[in-house]
Amino acid sequence: MANTIVNNNAPQVQIRFVTKQEQYAVPDFPLSVHTAITPNELNTLVNELLKESTDTKNDVEFDFLVCSQFLRTSLLDHITEKNISTEEVIIVEYVEKYPPPEPQDCLIHDDWVSTVAVCEKWILTGCYDNTLHIWTSKGKHHLVIPGHTSPVKAVAWISLNDDTASFVSASQDQTAIIWVWNISENSVDCIHVCRGHERGLEAVSVNYDHTMMATGAWDTMLKIWSTSNQDENEDGESTSKRLKSEHGKTRTPKRTMKGHKEAISGIVWSDKTEVITCAWDHTIKLWDTELGGIKHELAGNKSFFDIDYSPLSRAVITASADRHIRLYDPRSIEGTLVKTIFTSHTQWVQSVRWSTMDENLFISGAYDNNMKLWDTRSPKAPLFDLSGHEDKVLCCNWSNPKFIVSGGADNTVRIFKSKHIVR
């Protein structure tokens, strides 16, 4: 095949294809292409080279990275925006295109679904009618759990094995409850009622070794609690023995930290002793849970509704009271605080979650009824719109790489099957 792709109307530029996916590697000699070449034309070109140099028979769909961002326009528009000289050989990295998530199930509830958490095959949901629900990822309803007296705003799994699981729910009734679920008997017990907040709770997060949890509320306080099933004030008396005498013993916080001026809306652990919070006061704060103080603070320009941290990329994404998602490096002390802004939603973004397998991927849910799957290298357009909700999306979760799950004001949870590919 000739080394030149000719288009007489456009100037030529030299490119070199590279990939980290060795099974798709092509010879890396420079090629001359016209500057108006599009991603579709590049895709055709790479597939032709693949068929010449490997045993590949079927076409593969690729995305193309130039200067660490996906090519979504012609090459000329992209390199002009990035101020790249057409005199240089331009490195074009290609990766297999992420497959579209497939809609699976719709779990119907009696009221708005405000929170969802996934652990292996189990889905835990919390609703505005004060109830919790446990479902399988195949859509089977296992249990409805009453107990709170106001809407449940946040849930998190603490532990799961073959026989039992424990989880926490946080409610506008000013309490967080730690529950133990006997899976074989399909029965649940309220083990501890965590009291200490003076207004409704909005957020809860469990740390990496599942020993501690953090809650945030409308009283602006961040509180740290033990997740242990045992009552730490008693001398090892077993949970089951104590339950006979008192259903759900009151637990008090290990630490209370003050610093936000308005409601704390999102919490995530970023380290064994570090918590990151976001709030309606337009700030993100990094806390040291052992010393009990603020380590670092980032100022935004809108109220924040949600936050997530990726241990893979060590970056933070936020949802806020405009239609933008922002990516921060929480430890950055130089340059701009906001590293990237992602714009596609048309209304408030309510929820964001990182992929646990790929440092570049995350999902978002918004008041425009849409879920979106993003790649951090494509800030101007998401990879996919995950449609289905008929009202505001209030929560989303991607803890199990196989399932993208979202809940909304249409009283449903939507499950999308997600194929993980190694890229």
Side-chain angles (χ1 to χ4, degrees):
M1 186 181 121
N3 289 359
T4 305
I5 311 301
V6 178
N7 178 325
N8 295 326
N9 300 323
Q12 301 288 304
V13 67
Q14 294 252 298
I15 65 168
R16 177 180 280 127
F17 285 123
V18 298
T19 185
K20 296 186 178 89
Q21 296 173 294
E22 289 178 14
Q23 72 272 34
Y24 298 131
V26 299
D28 66 350
F29 48 72
L31 294 162
S32 289
V33 298
H34 58 85
T35 53
I37 197 166
T38 63
N40 279 345
E41 292 170 305
L42 287 169
N43 201 71
T44 303
L45 179 53
V46 169
N47 274 287
E48 285 177 14
L49 291 168
L50 265 177
K51 285 169 186 167
E52 282 185 9
S53 57
T54 67
D55 297 331
T56 305
K57 300 284 188 290
N58 299 322
D59 279 3
V60 182
E61 279 205 79
F62 294 106
D63 266 322
F64 297 90
L65 287 152
V66 179
C67 282
S68 305
Q69 271 199 13
F70 280 133
L71 189 63
R72 296 294 187 230
T73 58
S74 72
L75 184 60
L76 180 60
D77 289 348
H78 191 88
I79 61 178
T80 303
E81 186 184 329
K82 298 286 179 194
N83 293 321
I84 305 168
S85 166
T86 53
E87 304 299 314
E88 299 172 18
V89 176
I90 295 165
I91 302 299
V92 178
E93 183 184 347
Y94 56 102
V95 295
E96 187 179 358
K97 200 173 263 222
Y98 196 84
E102 300 164 5
Q104 294 291 301
D105 287 289
C106 174
L107 315 181
I108 298 172
H109 295 65
D110 292 332
D111 208 338
W112 289 15
V113 181
S114 45
T115 177
V116 60
V118 182
C119 189
E120 295 180 16
K121 70 172 184 176
W122 301 109
I123 299 172
L124 174 65
T125 59
C127 294
Y128 267 76
D129 64 3
N130 315 345
T131 61
L132 298 161
H133 299 261
I134 297 175
W135 310 73
T136 69
S137 56
K138 290 192 163 63
K140 184 175 186 296
H141 189 243
H142 261 253
L143 200 58
V144 56
I145 306 164
H148 284 290
T149 57
S150 290
V152 179
K153 294 307 295 288
V155 292
W157 291 93
I158 298 169
S159 65
L160 173 67
N161 57 39
D162 292 340
D163 307 312
T164 60
S166 62
F167 50 87
V168 58
S169 55
S171 166
Q172 287 184 343
D173 65 12
Q174 303 182 17
T175 70
I177 297 179
I178 296 174
W179 308 83
V180 169
W181 174 36
N182 183 317
I183 297 173
S184 55
E185 294 179 9
N186 199 27
S187 63
V188 72
D189 280 313
C190 162
I191 302 296
H192 291 290
V193 180
C194 301
R195 299 185 191 276
H197 283 290
E198 293 175 8
R199 293 185 68 190
L201 278 69
E202 281 289 310
V204 65
S205 179
V206 175
N207 71 351
Y208 292 115
D209 61 9
H210 310 291
T211 57
M212 309 289 286
M213 66 183 192
T215 56
W218 280 90
D219 63 6
T220 74
M221 298 299 172
L222 173 66
K223 292 180 184 283
I224 309 296
W225 318 73
S226 166
T227 60
S228 167
N229 290 348
Q230 300 292 325
D231 187 338
E232 296 172 333
N233 301 324
E234 295 182 11
D235 300 325
E237 185 181 358
S238 74
T239 303
S240 56
K241 184 178 173 187
R242 190 178 69 254
L243 278 173
K244 290 173 186 169
S245 60
E246 190 170 350
H247 186 71
K249 205 164 178 79
T250 294
R251 172 163 286 175
T252 53
K254 285 185 165 294
R255 189 180 285 283
T256 297
M257 291 182 278
K258 184 174 173 59
H260 280 295
K261 293 182 173 63
E262 291 187 51
I264 295 174
S265 50
I267 299 175
V268 62
W269 291 79
S270 50
D271 205 329
K272 192 169 183 187
T273 60
E274 185 180 86
V275 167
I276 307 178
T277 57
C278 68
W280 282 59
D281 63 10
H282 304 188
T283 68
I284 297 165
K285 297 185 195 297
L286 279 70
W287 306 78
D288 186 316
T289 61
E290 287 197 335
L291 298 176
I294 297 169
K295 296 161 73 169
H296 193 37
E297 184 174 313
L298 304 173
N301 56 358
K302 295 282 182 185
S303 294
F304 290 108
F305 295 148
D306 197 15
I307 192 165
D308 200 23
Y309 172 82
S310 169
L312 302 175
S313 64
R314 296 172 66 81
V316 160
I317 44 172
T318 61
S320 62
D322 55 19
R323 56 198 181 88
H324 308 296
I325 299 155
R326 291 172 176 83
L327 185 148
Y328 298 83
D329 176 355
R331 290 162 185 81
S332 173
I333 52 172
E334 56 193 49
T336 58
L337 294 176
V338 180
K339 299 299 179 191
T340 320
I341 297 175
F342 302 87
T343 305
S344 176
H345 285 292
T346 56
Q347 293 189 43
W348 285 8
V349 184
Q350 186 65 28
S351 186
V352 285
R353 288 291 179 272
W354 284 105
S355 162
T356 56
M357 301 290 284
D358 188 317
E359 66 177 348
N360 295 302
L361 299 180
F362 68 89
I363 53 173
S364 62
Y367 275 25
D368 59 11
N369 307 358
N370 284 318
M371 282 277 299
K372 293 176 188 283
L373 170 57
W374 297 85
D375 190 300
T376 55
R377 299 164 295 184
S378 177
K380 291 178 180 175
L383 296 187
F384 302 105
D385 286 344
L386 310 181
S387 55
H389 282 289
E390 294 167 8
D391 206 336
K392 299 185 287 286
V393 179
L394 302 175
C395 55
C396 60
N397 189 276
W398 202 0
S399 301
N400 182 333
K402 295 178 185 172
F403 301 105
I404 293 171
V405 180
S406 58
D410 58 0
N411 302 359
T412 71
V413 163
R414 307 275 168 165
I415 303 173
F416 288 83
K417 194 168 186 185
S418 166
K419 292 191 186 78
H420 175 66
I421 58 171
V422 179
R423 299 205 290 172

